[in-house]
Amino acid sequence: MERINFSRYALTSKDELRGIIQAPHELVVKKTISVIDEHCERFISESPLFFLSTASAEGKCDVSPRGDYPSSIKILNKHQLIIPDRPGNRRLDSIHNIIENPNVGLVFVIPGLEEVLRMNGRATVIKDPNILETMSLNGKAPLLGIAVDVEECFIHCPRALKESKVWQPGTWIEKDDFPTITEIFQDHLKINGIAIKS
């Protein structure tokens, strides 16, 4: 299929948008809070997986999945938390973006729950060894941390996870019917002109 010129169908104003979809109920708007209350703290402490959304200075976006043991995120107070930056593939996409643009979004997930916790704020990449030492894993402290000044928190309704049936094993694919990650990785390298000899 040829590329489509999406601008032919684009909405160009908020007024046009609200002409199609009505404004949300007042309770949906008012559920947003600006503090980490006891419910948010409990949700974060039980979450082994979250997604970190960042953008560069030019506005190029990235979403990074982050997995760790529950309670790995250090909540300092009602307005601040610190995420340990564990060793990975060293691309540092999120870190680069935060240095350029501190605005971040987070989505926390608890296995088995269909609701998620959404959070927005401003991040700072820190290297304070005293703080990072308290976030050690297997005796090794992270080299960096992502400190977040929280601006918004709210529970998101279960529709997405409920409709996707993501927690229902009967809907999961058979792994043998799907290419291995190595095969996908090598095929993507080939697209970029790199062949790995077996």
Side-chain angles (χ1 to χ4, degrees):
M1 176 185 283
E2 294 183 4
R3 288 196 176 203
I4 296 171
N5 180 3
F6 290 126
S7 64
R8 293 168 51 195
Y9 313 101
L11 295 177
T12 56
S13 72
K14 292 181 181 180
D15 288 340
E16 187 179 3
L17 173 62
R18 286 304 177 194
I20 298 171
I21 300 174
Q22 295 180 343
H25 191 282
E26 181 185 15
L27 297 181
V28 174
V29 176
K30 296 285 187 179
K31 72 178 181 177
T32 302
I33 60 176
S34 59
V35 297
I36 305 171
D37 73 345
E38 65 273 17
H39 299 298
C40 295
E41 184 170 355
R42 173 75 189 277
F43 203 106
I44 294 167
S45 71
E46 298 286 350
S47 174
L49 171 68
F50 69 95
F51 296 85
L52 173 65
S53 174
T54 61
S56 68
E58 293 80 26
K60 292 184 178 179
C61 297
D62 181 73
V63 178
S64 173
R66 301 284 176 128
D68 214 325
Y69 64 91
S71 297
S72 63
I73 292 176
K74 190 175 189 68
I75 297 174
L76 300 178
N77 51 57
K78 290 186 177 294
H79 302 280
Q80 296 175 308
L81 57 79
I82 300 176
I83 302 162
D85 189 59
R86 306 290 184 200
N89 58 19
R90 300 197 294 271
R91 283 179 57 106
L92 301 177
D93 297 313
S94 301
I95 301 296
H96 285 159
N97 285 346
I98 290 169
I99 289 171
E100 294 182 1
N101 174 0
N103 296 297
V104 297
L106 303 106
V107 174
F108 294 93
V109 178
I110 297 176
L113 284 190
E114 292 173 333
E115 295 79 9
V116 299
L117 177 67
R118 291 175 57 180
M119 184 176 286
N120 298 309
R122 294 174 67 81
T124 305
V125 180
I126 63 168
K127 56 180 181 178
D128 185 326
N130 295 321
I131 293 177
L132 297 175
E133 187 66 34
T134 68
M135 310 178 83
S136 294
L137 179 62
N138 298 324
K140 192 166 186 178
L143 297 176
L144 301 172
I146 300 171
V148 179
D149 287 289
V150 175
E151 297 173 341
E152 292 183 311
C153 302
F154 59 95
I155 292 292
H156 191 92
C157 75
R159 185 180 186 282
L161 273 67
K162 180 177 287 187
E163 293 299 320
S164 67
K165 299 180 173 59
V166 68
W167 301 130
Q168 297 181 26
T171 68
W172 298 352
I173 65 168
E174 293 291 336
K175 286 187 177 181
D176 293 342
D177 295 337
F178 199 77
T180 67
I181 298 306
T182 299
E183 290 171 334
I184 296 171
F185 179 69
Q186 291 179 346
D187 285 346
H188 286 181
L189 287 176
K190 287 177 187 175
I191 291 173
N192 287 325
I194 301 171
I196 295 180
K197 296 178 181 177
S198 57

